[in-house]
């Protein structure tokens, strides 16, 4: 992933302003350490920090049309760029970059071309002929993007909040599946698939059709001119991504696949990841971290991921640590399994979905919110070290296929041996040529923050209890009236976030509301007992997770807790009491 920054229509075209734009663009250099570029036309500035994945030799940005009147700065990948180039026979291309098609498509179709792009992207396009511009973000929000407005009437666009938060009077997260046009002065939703209105679909479940759709989504994301690998936790989603990738590389006689896993010593993910890697024959790399390693990284994680959401920070930290190790091995791109749980109702709280309509509507809500949670985590935690994460489950065509299924097929029915994500498991249950061992294919869902080791979350809670006292909590609503933290862990993260991003606009970019095991606030209503155990961990799904928290007990610290890695932290407990 790259980093983009644009300042459009500002009242200052001086050298000092250019220097300021360059300074702000450098704050995004971790996203694109390979090259920097800036373009200025009057009072418009387009800057770019490049991570070179496709055409590393000639694809530096900004990119142009033939006469350089159309200028574009892009973060993302366009997987169907070769097909689009064939349609643009009358155009001359200057680079092999997959993103150059954007400038030429605009020449042909104006602002109506965005839905033609098959990929993930955030871009700013400037038409120097009439000084107009447009901004667009991909369908689900896999790539991060923020938009802000200056007092001088300028419009600011940045891949990360830190590129514009100090210079804008107001800024916000750019809505996924939308474009912003200077001609209309507002947003327009370009992505509006049938599932978006949450009407219950009725397409019968066809296992092979679902399998083919996902295989296509994975294979198209292997477009790369640099070394790549897969993140492999040993759960269903990452294992399927790895299995399809390994099979494709074997069939095409390509190089051996590298796989990567992170966890505390003895964690569920390390064990399962190693087993899957041995089955698939990947070159496997295990990275171990301690609870203290994670705690030491929390401030860096919050600075890079730009959130105070508890579950996002819990999961981002091991991913952040692993990304640094992966990049040190010379790998620049990895495939990851985000999005499956939202599409198929894979979180454990979906066991309590009362009917197929409620299940379908909850999956719709979850997908629409992904840009605030897992997409944000997967992108920014890896981009902190110039590593790109690609997420095949969030392929636009695959989502359309999966979300058109009659949601009755996604309902969890233990009496019929249908566990969470049964439709996906069944699609890849092939006895003749197995993708995965049966026990991996039907392994219970583990959220990433749980799977790296249960004591990770327990240790975070203990550390927060050392740093946030009861008096601080009693005044939380006065100090943080918006999204008031309800736990000491949430308060601790919020203090760090506010130090980096003190603006009111910044705190408004982070979602809030009641949640259990990563549910939306609406789904909390499915089970009355959940209101007494509001925690985003999968273990909060009492009566579902095999290591669920004890719903009848709440562990209260009797003295400050220490997050020491060698303390015996018992599986299934919310915190550890040091006596």
């Amino acid at each position: 992933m790259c980093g983009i920054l644009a300042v459009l229509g500002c009242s200052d075209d001086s050298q000092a302003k250019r220097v300021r734009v360059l300074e702000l663009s450098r704050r995004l250099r971790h996203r694109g350490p390979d090259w920097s570029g800036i373009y200025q036309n009057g009072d418009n500035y387009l800057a770019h920090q490049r991570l070179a994945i496709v055409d590393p030799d000639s694809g530096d940005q900004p990119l142009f049309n033939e006469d350089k009147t159309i200028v574009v700065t892009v973060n993302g990948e366009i997987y169907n760029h070769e097909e689009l180039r064939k349609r643009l026979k009358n155009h001359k291309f200057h680079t092999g970059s997959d993103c150059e098609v954007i400038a030429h498509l605009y020449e042909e179709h104006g602002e109506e071309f965005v839905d033609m792009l098959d990929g993930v992207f955030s871009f700013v396009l400037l038409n120097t002929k009439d000084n107009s511009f447009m901004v667009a973000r991909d369908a689900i929000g896999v790539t991060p993007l923020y938009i802000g407005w200056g007092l001088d009437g300028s419009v600011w666009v940045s891949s990360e909040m830190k590129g514009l938060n100090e210079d804008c009077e107001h800024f916000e997260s750019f809505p996924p599946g939308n474009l912003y046009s200077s001609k209309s002065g507002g947003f327009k939703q370009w992505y509006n698939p049938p599932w978006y209105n949450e009407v219950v679909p009725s397409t019968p479940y066809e296992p092979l059709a679902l399998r083919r759709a996902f295989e296509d989504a994975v294979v198209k994301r292997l477009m790369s001119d640099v070394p790549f690998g897969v993140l492999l936790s040993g759960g269903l989603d990452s294992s399927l991504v790895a299995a399809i990738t390994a099979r494709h590389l074997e069939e095409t006689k390509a190089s051996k696949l590298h796989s990567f896993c992170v966890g505390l010593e003895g964690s569920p993910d390390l064990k399962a990841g190693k087993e899957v890697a041995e089955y698939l024959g990947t070159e496997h790399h295990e990275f171990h971290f301690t609870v203290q390693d994670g705690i030491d990284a929390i401030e860096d994680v919050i600075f890079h991921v730009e959130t105070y959401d508890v579950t996002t920070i819990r999961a981002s930290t091991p991913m952040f640590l692993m990304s640094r190790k992966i990049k040190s091995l010379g790998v620049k791109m990895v495939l990851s399994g985000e999005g499956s749980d939202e599409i198929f109702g894979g979180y454990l709280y979906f066991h309590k979905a009362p009917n197929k309509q409620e299940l379908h509507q909850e999956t719709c809500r979850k997908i629409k919110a992904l840009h605030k949670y897992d997409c944000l985590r997967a992108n920014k935690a890896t981009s902190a070290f110039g590593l790109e994460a690609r997420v095949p489950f969030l392929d636009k065509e695959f989502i359309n296929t999966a979300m058109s299924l009659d949601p009755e097929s996604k309902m969890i029915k233990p009496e019929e041996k249908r566990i969470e994500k049964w439709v996906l498991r069944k699609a890849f249950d092939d006895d003749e040529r197995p993708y995965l061992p049966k026990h991996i294919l039907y392994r219970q869902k583990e959220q990433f923050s749980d799977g790296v080791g249960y004591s990770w979350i327990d240790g975070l809670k203990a550390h927060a209890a050392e740093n946030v006292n009861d008096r601080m909590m009693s005044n939380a609503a006065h100090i943080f009236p918006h999204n008031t933290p309800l736990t000491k862990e949430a308060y601790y993260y919020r203090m760090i976030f506010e130090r980096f991003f003190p603006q009111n606009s910044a705190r408004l970019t982070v979602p809030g509301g009641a949640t259990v095991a990563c549910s939306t606030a609406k789904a909390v209503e499915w089970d009355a007992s959940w209101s007494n155990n509001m925690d985003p961990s999968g273990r909060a799904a009492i009566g579902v997770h095999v290591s669920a928290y004890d719903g009848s007990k709440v562990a209260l610290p009797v003295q400050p807790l220490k997050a020491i890695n060698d303390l015996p932290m018992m599986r299934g407990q919310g915190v550890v009491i040091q006596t």
Side-chain angles (χ1 to χ4, degrees):
M1 289 292 171
C2 304
I4 64 173
L5 175 69
V7 185
L8 303 151
C10 64
S11 57
D12 184 0
D13 60 359
S14 67
Q15 177 63 21
K17 187 66 174 184
R18 184 184 177 97
V19 169
R20 176 59 175 166
V21 173
L22 283 169
E23 176 190 347
L24 294 173
S25 179
R26 281 196 292 272
R27 296 184 184 181
L28 309 177
R29 184 162 291 173
H30 53 274
R31 298 186 60 85
D34 295 335
W35 192 251
S36 303
I38 186 169
Y39 173 85
Q40 179 183 358
N41 182 267
D43 56 3
N44 299 303
Y45 300 82
L46 273 63
H48 189 265
Q49 301 288 342
R50 188 184 185 205
L51 179 66
I53 303 291
V54 175
D55 185 27
D57 294 330
S58 68
D60 294 338
Q61 295 193 33
L63 297 162
F64 303 89
N65 67 334
E66 291 89 341
D67 61 6
K68 296 194 174 183
T69 56
I70 308 298
V71 193
V72 62
T73 181
V74 191
N75 169 34
E77 309 92 34
I78 310 302
Y79 301 120
N80 64 336
H81 74 104
E82 291 183 352
E83 175 192 333
L84 292 171
R85 283 173 182 250
K86 292 175 182 177
R87 296 190 211 171
L88 297 163
K89 294 178 180 178
N90 297 326
H91 291 258
K92 182 180 179 181
F93 288 81
H94 299 287
T95 76
S97 169
D98 51 298
C99 295
E100 190 182 342
V101 294
I102 292 173
H104 301 284
L105 286 170
Y106 176 81
E107 283 190 288
E108 290 289 329
H109 305 283
E111 295 177 350
E112 303 304 315
F113 72 90
V114 183
D115 197 30
M116 299 169 65
L117 302 174
D118 181 9
V120 295
F121 50 82
S122 298
F123 68 80
V124 179
L125 183 148
L126 176 66
N127 185 345
T128 62
K129 295 176 183 176
D130 58 8
N131 214 35
S132 65
F133 66 86
M134 66 174 290
V135 186
R137 188 179 185 187
D138 64 75
I140 306 299
V142 173
T143 59
L145 194 65
Y146 297 84
I147 186 169
W149 294 268
L151 286 173
D152 62 353
S154 57
V155 177
W156 294 62
V157 182
S158 176
S159 292
E160 295 186 3
M161 198 156 49
K162 60 183 68 67
L164 52 68
N165 63 309
E166 294 176 358
D167 291 68
C168 292
E169 184 68 14
H170 172 75
F171 57 89
E172 60 193 49
S173 176
F174 195 100
N178 274 255
L179 66 84
Y180 180 93
S181 170
S182 63
K183 294 177 180 178
S184 63
F187 293 97
K188 177 184 177 182
Q189 185 175 330
W190 65 264
Y191 180 62
N192 191 27
W195 64 266
Y196 218 79
N197 60 16
E198 301 183 10
V199 173
V200 178
S202 58
T203 303
Y205 170 52
E206 270 295 336
L208 288 180
L210 189 66
R211 182 198 295 185
R212 283 192 294 268
F214 187 57
E215 287 177 328
D216 289 345
V218 172
V219 171
K220 74 172 69 168
R221 279 162 178 77
L222 303 182
M223 179 183 78
S224 173
D225 295 325
V226 298
F228 65 88
V230 294
L231 303 185
L232 180 57
S233 69
L236 174 69
D237 307 328
S238 66
S239 297
L240 284 178
V241 173
I244 295 167
T245 305
R247 188 170 289 194
H248 178 77
L249 294 182
E250 182 183 356
E251 290 171 351
T252 56
K253 310 295 184 187
S255 59
K256 193 172 186 179
L257 179 64
H258 287 256
S259 58
F260 307 95
C261 187
V262 66
L264 302 177
E265 192 74 44
S267 68
D269 280 2
L270 288 179
K271 180 181 177 182
K274 183 178 181 180
E275 182 180 4
V276 175
E278 289 176 350
Y279 180 82
L280 297 177
T282 68
E283 189 74 36
H284 193 56
H285 308 266
E286 275 189 7
F287 304 122
H288 295 195
F289 76 103
T290 67
V291 172
Q292 194 60 56
D293 290 335
I295 288 171
D296 291 342
I298 288 292
E299 291 205 9
D300 285 339
V301 168
I302 292 173
F303 174 74
H304 279 286
V305 181
E306 302 180 325
T307 188
Y308 51 81
D309 175 68
V310 169
T311 189
T312 303
I313 294 168
R314 287 176 177 179
S316 294
T317 305
M319 196 170 201
F320 176 86
L321 295 171
M322 176 171 56
S323 296
R324 188 174 190 179
K325 291 278 193 179
I326 293 172
K327 188 62 185 291
S328 73
L329 297 175
V331 172
K332 297 176 74 171
M333 184 272 281
V334 290
L335 274 69
S336 191
E338 280 76 15
S340 172
D341 294 311
E342 287 74 13
I343 294 169
F344 294 106
Y347 291 108
L348 297 183
Y349 73 88
F350 277 96
H351 279 252
K352 299 296 182 76
N355 54 59
K356 69 177 186 179
Q357 179 176 349
E358 289 270 2
L359 183 143
H360 179 72
Q361 291 174 345
E362 175 71 357
T363 59
C364 293
R365 290 189 293 265
K366 290 291 290 180
I367 296 171
K368 292 175 186 177
L370 264 170
H371 68 288
K372 303 175 185 177
Y373 297 103
D374 284 19
C375 288
L376 182 116
R377 166 181 58 80
N379 185 283
K380 292 183 181 178
T382 54
S383 292
F385 299 103
L387 179 68
E388 177 175 304
R390 295 183 180 177
V391 283
F393 279 107
L394 297 181
D395 179 80
K396 192 167 60 170
E397 290 305 314
F398 177 71
I399 291 176
N400 288 343
T401 298
M403 292 302 290
S404 68
L405 296 177
D406 185 337
E408 181 65 31
S409 61
K410 299 180 184 179
M411 289 289 288
I412 299 164
K413 298 181 178 182
E415 68 279 4
E416 298 178 18
K417 297 184 178 180
R418 278 172 45 176
I419 63 173
E420 65 276 357
K421 294 187 284 194
W422 175 82
V423 289
L424 182 62
R425 300 175 196 270
K426 184 67 175 175
F428 286 90
D429 194 346
D430 188 336
D431 290 330
E432 291 185 9
R433 196 184 175 199
Y435 286 80
L436 294 167
K438 291 275 189 183
H439 64 282
I440 294 292
L441 194 61
Y442 290 95
R443 181 191 180 198
Q444 185 182 58
K445 163 68 184 172
E446 287 281 12
Q447 286 164 216
F448 184 54
S449 53
D450 287 331
V452 296
Y454 294 128
S455 57
W456 166 232
I457 292 175
D458 299 340
L460 285 174
K461 291 180 178 181
H463 180 72
E466 281 190 319
N467 289 275
V468 179
N469 59 42
D470 292 340
R471 186 172 60 222
M472 295 163 75
M473 288 300 299
S474 68
N475 293 320
H478 302 290
I479 299 170
F480 305 117
H482 175 75
N483 280 349
T484 303
L486 302 178
T487 66
K488 290 183 178 181
E489 185 185 3
Y491 194 108
Y492 178 65
Y493 300 154
R494 185 67 173 271
M495 287 192 301
I496 298 171
F497 178 88
E498 295 275 344
R499 192 166 76 247
F500 291 133
F501 307 105
Q503 300 85 3
N504 187 55
S505 291
R507 63 182 65 100
L508 293 176
T509 64
V510 182
T515 182
V516 62
C518 288
S519 73
T520 66
K522 178 66 177 174
V524 173
E525 301 171 6
W526 291 352
D527 190 315
S529 68
W530 286 346
S531 61
N532 299 319
N533 196 38
M534 304 301 288
D535 190 284
S537 168
R539 291 182 291 158
I542 298 169
V544 177
H545 196 289
V546 294
S547 296
Y549 294 134
D550 185 343
S552 64
K553 301 174 183 176
V554 178
L556 297 175
V558 294
Q559 64 183 63
L561 301 174
K562 292 185 178 180
I564 300 176
N565 188 52
D566 57 2
L567 281 176
M569 297 187 174
M570 293 185 66
R571 185 166 170 165
Q573 297 298 313
V575 296
V576 172
I577 299 178
Q578 183 186 3
T579 58

